[in-house]
Amino acid sequence: MRAKWLLVIAAVMAVTLGTAQTALADNNATGTVGAVQTGPVGVTPTADVSQAGATAAASVPVAVGGSGNNTATNSVGAVQAGGGNSSNDSTGSVQVSSVSASPSASAGASGSSASASVPVTVGGSGNNTASSSTGGVQIGGGNSSSGSAGVLQSGSPQASPTVGASIVGEAVSASAPVGVAGSGNSAADSVGAAQVGGGNTVTRSFLAAQSGAVTAGTTAGAGDTTTSAPVTVGGGGGGGTNSATDSVGTAQVGGGNTATGSTGTVQSGPVGANPSVASGPTATAASTPAASASTPAPASAAGAPSPGTRTSEGAPRQDRNTFGATKTPTGGPRTLGQLPFTGLGLLLFVLLGLTLVATGFTARARTRLSV
């Protein structure tokens, strides 16, 4: 009987080993103190309940991907998750490959229901590399830090929170997707650099914040009416690259920005917005595109303040003449002989002067006669 149980156990182990998947990443630590390394991870905790006609459910799937090996060499305090992470001669480095999470929840009772989901991903292609760096955090992929301190690097994050509800046959919903494009961040000999998205490069700089092209679009609907307000910062194709060299206090958003030997620089790619409203199943959406940051605002009509612009009481109007200029009525005779710098008629002051002279002579003659 005992021999039969041993045969059963051996058969189960053989089947298990024969069907096991090949590890996606190997962990290697050489000359390193305090290293935590793990390959790709995936968990999907769920919960649901149903009682008296009411239901509720929740799910929080989380996954850390990546391929390749995790390697830590001559480092102190290295944390590596996923795959394709490398830390050399570094202290306090945290490296995580692409991450995705999709928490969701729903509930319903008496013909009504509600749901919400917040899918989030941090992507990026390539490996994370930290060399001779201190306090580096790298998430996603394609991040490189060399001889730097206090560096935060993230691949392209994407989030699409969505909520919806149905009450008495009427449905409402809303979503607010947000994303930062690009892949590949590089920091060399820098202190205090934050890079999000991709295409960002900082060299020998202090306190630099860089972000790839940003897109955000809020959408809401109720019945047959929907509204949307998409906003973009940066051009197509990721908007180009951001570069900061030998600079202090640089902020760059959108891509295509360059700062060299600068202090306190803020740079942004073109900004665009196109809010719209649509009502009815066959209605045409009414949109109001906003001017981009690189397009000058249209000039208002002469003499008329633009909407939303404050004007000062008592300020000179544009239809008034400049001091010293002559205002000639249209079609009227041209006035000659005017006082300089005033535009006033000279004849009036000549008559006034003669009157005063005559009055003076008369008073003088009367004084003499009285004496």
Side-chain angles (χ1 to χ4, degrees):
M1 186 68 179
R2 184 175 181 181
K4 291 183 179 180
W5 277 110
L6 292 176
L7 290 175
V8 172
I9 295 173
V12 172
M13 293 182 63
V15 171
T16 303
L17 293 175
T19 58
Q21 299 292 329
T22 303
L24 297 178
D26 293 329
N27 301 310
N28 302 312
T30 303
T32 299
V33 178
V36 178
Q37 299 172 313
T38 179
V41 179
V43 294
T44 308
T46 59
D48 60 85
V49 63
S50 178
Q51 186 176 4
T55 61
S59 174
V60 189
V62 179
V64 179
S67 60
N69 301 330
N70 293 318
T71 303
T73 305
N74 299 327
S75 298
V76 177
V79 178
Q80 298 172 322
N85 301 304
S86 176
S87 175
N88 300 316
D89 300 319
S90 298
T91 302
S93 61
V94 178
Q95 298 172 313
V96 181
S97 300
S98 58
V99 180
S100 62
S102 300
S104 62
S106 61
S110 302
S112 300
S113 62
S115 63
S117 63
V118 188
V120 179
T121 61
V122 180
S125 59
N127 302 329
N128 295 316
T129 303
S131 177
S132 303
S133 298
T134 302
V137 178
Q138 299 172 321
I139 303 175
N143 301 304
S144 175
S145 175
S146 175
S148 299
V151 175
L152 170 62
Q153 298 173 311
S154 170
S156 55
Q158 308 286 331
S160 300
T162 303
V163 295
S166 177
I167 304 175
V168 195
E170 294 293 333
V172 295
S173 62
S175 63
V178 180
V180 180
S183 177
N185 299 306
S186 176
D189 302 323
S190 299
V191 177
Q195 299 171 315
V196 180
N200 302 305
T201 302
V202 58
T203 305
R204 296 185 303 276
S205 296
F206 178 73
L207 295 179
Q210 299 172 314
S211 171
V214 181
T215 59
T218 303
T219 304
D224 294 333
T225 302
T226 60
T227 62
S228 63
V231 178
T232 60
V233 181
T241 60
N242 295 312
S243 176
T245 305
D246 300 322
S247 299
V248 177
T250 302
Q252 299 171 320
V253 181
N257 304 304
T258 301
T260 303
S262 303
T263 301
T265 303
V266 178
Q267 298 173 314
S268 171
V271 181
N274 188 22
S276 63
V277 179
S279 179
T282 60
T284 303
S287 60
T288 307
S292 64
S294 59
T295 304
S300 59
S306 59
T309 303
R310 295 181 177 179
T311 58
S312 300
E313 293 293 336
R317 298 192 306 269
Q318 294 185 6
D319 57 351
R320 290 184 178 180
N321 285 357
T322 306
F323 182 73
T326 304
K327 181 178 181 181
T328 304
T330 304
R334 186 176 181 183
T335 305
L336 300 177
Q338 295 178 340
L339 292 175
F341 309 112
T342 63
L344 301 176
L346 180 60
L347 180 59
L348 175 62
F349 286 90
V350 171
L351 294 177
L352 180 60
L354 293 175
T355 302
L356 294 175
V357 171
T359 302
F361 278 118
T362 303
R364 183 176 181 182
R366 289 180 179 178
T367 303
R368 289 181 179 180
L369 291 176
S370 63
V371 175

